[in-house]
Amino acid sequence: MAPLIGPLAAVGLEAPLLTAVMVLTVRWMERLNLIGHRPVGRAAIGLTGACVVLMGEVAGALLAPDHREALSRFFTPVGLLGLALVGVAAVIPLVLLAWPSPGRRLR
């Protein structure tokens, strides 16, 4: 997608998708009682998800033919925006504590 619309626009299009996937995943986990309502547990889930995404990003960069160049892209404006979006996704489980899903009341 980035070659067609540019790297910054591609990251911008990725942001709503990443956010939607995280919101849907947390809501699904709530319905199955896999996630509690305590902030510490939710922070752990968000950080775990962010770490998994970052490990995948770094592994992909290391497997690239020119891995030094691929790793250096993390420190460009587009790369830093992507890392910031991962940080936003990491706090979504905490944010959703204050935004109850339908059928659940605030405590």
Side-chain angles (χ1 to χ4, degrees), residues 2 24 26 30 46 49 58 71 82 87 100 106:
L24 292 172
V26 171
E30 285 176 341
V58 170
L71 286 172
L106 285 175

Side-chain angles (χ1 to χ4, degrees), residues 14-106:
E14 183 181 78
L17 180 63
L18 178 66
T19 303
V21 167
M22 191 62 166
V23 168
L24 292 172
T25 302
V26 171
R27 293 299 189 210
W28 173 74
M29 292 175 76
E30 285 176 341
R31 278 194 306 276
L32 295 177
N33 291 322
L34 298 174
I35 185 173
H37 301 292
R38 303 177 86 189
V40 173
R42 290 197 170 224
I45 287 171
L47 289 174
T48 301
C51 287
V52 169
V53 169
L54 291 176
M55 286 189 312
E57 294 279 351
V58 170
L62 290 174
L63 293 173
D66 187 3
H67 64 273
R68 287 180 193 236
E69 181 183 331
L71 286 172
S72 70
R73 288 188 195 127
F74 287 115
F75 302 103
T76 64
V78 173
L80 293 173
L81 177 60
L83 293 175
L85 291 173
V86 172
V88 168
V91 298
I92 287 175
L94 288 171
V95 170
L96 290 179
L97 269 176
W99 182 23
S101 61
R104 193 186 109 204
R105 295 184 182 154
L106 285 175

